[in-house]
Amino acid sequence: MAKKVVSEEERRRRRPTRQGVVVTQRLIVETALRMLHEHGRDGLTVRRLGLALGADPSTLYRYFRGTDDLTLAIADELIARAMHGRRPTGQWRTDLREIGLRIHTAYLAHPEAAVLTASRVSGRANEIAGDETVLGILRSTGLPDADVVRIFQAFVDQALAFAALDAASLALPEAARAADEQVWRATYAELPARTHPNIAALAPLLVARMNDSAYPTALEMLLDSAEADIRRARGDNDPDTA
């Protein structure tokens, strides 16, 4: 039988921990994010979380149904951080670009949490609000509903996929990440034109780009595709491209 999750009001009435801190759902999520950053995914355990909070490990179950429920709350918190302070312009391309880059930045600020949560669907308030916002931007262009949903899926999946990919690199031990980055200079750049003419011809450009995220480029390509769809739907050549 699932454990009862008490209301937020009931939680606030509880006594402080030994460290004088009143445990809240938000505090648990913030502490879990810090632990993921410091100890990695394997280091986030109920016992360690309890120690970090100065509370009994079972405290977690007063606020969450288990560690998976906590994971979904972390996912929702990353979306909240991505959307916090956003100021819409009313220009569909500008607004979608900003949201995509905000998601990517918010996830990369917490790479271990990003790898843990990027593939999850939390169904929580911030995720739902973010989805509603993106769908509203796309519908404002006049696209047919089927195209709105198609582009919405591509936009969200692209942002989260690149966030997970780039975060996984950042989450590597520093020595491993440095070794991976060096491969382009030490291996690819040294391949002879006789056996690898294309790599050799492009080696300087590859070295300059391949250790950076391709997400901004991929995002612009997606927006270009959406713009073409909008032009077709409107039957004109002058969509909002700002």
Side-chain angles (χ1 to χ4, degrees), residues 8-46:
E8 180 65 23
E9 183 62 27
E10 288 175 317
R11 295 168 199 155
R12 290 173 179 168
R13 294 174 183 163
R14 301 195 181 282
R15 293 177 297 176
T17 67
R18 295 187 299 274
Q19 297 174 352
V21 176
V22 176
V23 176
T24 64
Q25 192 174 57
R26 182 168 185 81
L27 178 62
I28 293 174
V29 171
E30 290 175 346
T31 302
L33 278 170
R34 176 171 55 81
M35 291 180 65
L36 284 166
H37 179 72
E38 295 175 354
H39 306 292
R41 282 158 283 164
D42 293 338
L44 181 60
T45 65
V46 173

Side-chain angles (χ1 to χ4, degrees), residues 28-210:
I28 293 174
V29 171
E30 290 175 346
T31 302
L33 278 170
R34 176 171 55 81
M35 291 180 65
L36 284 166
H37 179 72
E38 295 175 354
H39 306 292
R41 282 158 283 164
D42 293 338
L44 181 60
T45 65
V46 173
R47 183 183 66 82
R48 285 186 173 181
L49 187 58
L51 288 173
L53 292 166
D56 188 276
S58 64
T59 300
L60 173 71
Y61 299 104
R62 304 193 70 88
Y63 301 83
F64 299 97
R65 292 179 175 83
T67 54
D68 193 63
D69 196 27
L70 174 59
T71 297
L72 297 179
I74 292 170
D76 199 54
E77 175 63 18
L78 292 180
I79 295 296
R81 295 185 180 198
M83 300 296 283
H84 178 70
R86 188 185 75 87
R87 296 189 178 187
T89 67
Q91 299 172 322
W92 73 266
R93 183 162 183 152
T94 298
D95 289 342
L96 282 184
R97 180 190 296 112
E98 183 190 12
I99 291 172
L101 294 175
R102 277 175 166 270
I103 291 171
H104 189 253
T105 299
Y107 273 71
L108 262 58
H110 299 277
E112 292 282 357
V115 174
L116 181 66
T117 64
S119 64
R120 303 303 303 274
V121 181
S122 75
R124 295 182 177 228
N126 293 304
E127 179 187 88
I128 291 171
D131 289 347
E132 177 71 12
T133 296
V134 174
L135 287 167
I137 292 170
L138 288 170
R139 292 190 75 200
S140 74
T141 66
L143 281 168
D145 288 349
D147 287 337
V148 166
V149 172
R150 176 176 56 82
I151 296 170
F152 168 77
Q153 180 190 31
F155 176 83
V156 171
D157 284 0
Q158 182 193 66
L160 294 177
F162 270 99
L165 175 66
D166 294 338
S169 178
L170 291 176
L172 288 172
E174 185 174 347
R177 186 169 69 251
D180 282 359
E181 293 176 353
Q182 184 61 21
V183 168
W184 288 104
R185 295 180 177 86
T187 301
Y188 280 84
E190 300 300 322
L191 292 171
R194 179 178 57 82
T195 56
H196 300 82
N198 298 307
I199 293 176
L202 301 174
L205 295 173
L206 290 168
V207 169
R209 287 190 64 95
M210 294 305 293

Side-chain angles (χ1 to χ4, degrees), residues 92 223-233 239:
W92 73 266
L223 295 175
D224 285 345
S225 176
E227 183 178 313
D229 287 341
I230 293 169
R231 285 178 174 172
R232 284 192 292 271

